[in-house]
Every structure is written in C-alpha cells, then in structure tokens.
Amino acid sequence: MTMMKNNISENIKELKEKADGLSVLYVEDEDTLREKTSNLFKKIFPTVDVAKDGKEGLDRYKQKKYDIVVTDILMPNMDGFTLIKNILKDNDDQEIIISSAYNEEQYLDKAAELGISSYIYKPVKLNELVDVLNTSIEKIS
C-alpha cells in the first residue's frame, strides 16, 4: 500500500505511529547524507543506529538485531552486498533496503538475487523513502 497524501509531514507522522518499537540500522559512508538521513529516521523510529561502512554495520548488527537495515552498496572496508550476505546468513528474513546511486543492471540483479526488499536511488526523494519504509513496516507487522 502506497501512502498517497500530499503532506509529507502527515505521512511521516503516520509512519512514526506504525514504526513504534521498531529499530533501524543505517549504513552509509557519505557523512552529510548519513547525518541528514539518520535525522529523518529518528523522526520515525525510536531506535536508529548508524555505521559508516559495511564492516562497522556488520559489527553493530552482530551486537543487536534490527527490524530494518538500510545500506549503501559501494563503501570502504566492506561493501553493501557483502554486508547483506553476512546478515542473511544470520537472519534470512531480515528486512533490507538498498539506497544507492548505482542503477546498473548488475547491481539490480544482485539485489534481486539476494531477495532485497527495496532498492532506492540516490539522491533519495523523501516521498520515495517514506513509501519504501511504509512497505517494509507493513511487511514486518
């Protein structure tokens, strides 16, 4: 179900109600984007943890499980696909969203092969992100 209201702040408020008690791990190597997007996540989810690369993301994931993982693909130390494979070894039902500037077929095919829930392109549009998060929350609920 897609949220089709014009008022994005209303959509975020609705999403926050649905996301009560849920946690997110956000893995992104670009500092400004990581800060900006994690601030948005904090308006929706009560628990938001961030990591600057796949290795740090995997370390955080091993310490604490998350309802939703949002990750970039190309990052230093460990790429997003390696992170995803490691997470899926531990929990093959993990809700994972890829956020990437890369839309080449090889990346989309790899994401589909891994059973990724959603793939959103950077620069991320707020309404798209809200829709994707809504879909993930509904799958979890």
Side-chain angles (χ1 to χ4, degrees):
M1 180 182 118
T2 306
M3 299 175 120
M4 293 301 287
K5 294 189 180 113
N6 293 331
N7 186 344
I8 194 70
S9 60
E10 209 174 294
N11 290 348
I12 290 172
K13 185 179 173 191
E14 279 183 35
L15 207 52
K16 181 180 172 83
E17 290 171 18
K18 291 180 181 181
D20 188 40
L22 298 182
S23 61
V24 170
L25 173 62
Y26 179 50
V27 187
E28 168 62 55
D29 63 321
E30 205 273 288
D31 295 339
T32 305
L33 182 59
R34 185 175 61 245
E35 185 176 327
K36 187 177 167 186
T37 306
S38 67
N39 285 335
L40 171 66
F41 287 154
K42 289 173 185 173
K43 291 179 181 179
I44 299 169
F45 297 94
T47 303
V48 178
D49 289 336
V50 296
K52 65 182 182 305
D53 60 47
K55 183 181 179 325
E56 186 179 321
L58 185 58
D59 291 344
R60 290 197 187 283
Y61 189 85
K62 286 180 177 179
Q63 292 169 13
K64 175 169 116 184
K65 302 303 179 235
Y66 296 89
D67 296 295
I68 299 172
V69 175
V70 181
T71 185
D72 190 7
I73 295 176
L74 297 181
M75 299 178 287
N77 300 319
M78 179 188 289
D79 67 64
F81 286 128
T82 303
L83 168 65
I84 291 166
K85 286 178 190 173
N86 278 287
I87 288 173
L88 293 176
K89 279 185 213 169
D90 189 50
N91 177 6
D92 61 355
D93 288 331
Q94 179 65 55
E95 188 65 19
I96 299 173
I97 299 167
I98 291 177
S99 170
S100 178
Y102 298 94
N103 63 358
E104 286 87 4
E105 196 171 323
Q106 66 185 20
Y107 294 114
L108 299 173
D109 289 347
K110 184 80 168 166
E113 185 182 302
L114 291 169
I116 299 309
S117 310
S118 300
Y119 193 114
I120 52 178
Y121 299 112
K122 295 179 191 172
V124 175
K125 293 175 186 71
L126 186 56
N127 58 336
E128 278 182 46
L129 181 60
V130 167
D131 281 347
V132 165
L133 290 171
N134 185 59
T135 301
S136 288
I137 289 168
E138 286 182 358
K139 281 172 72 177
I140 293 167
S141 300

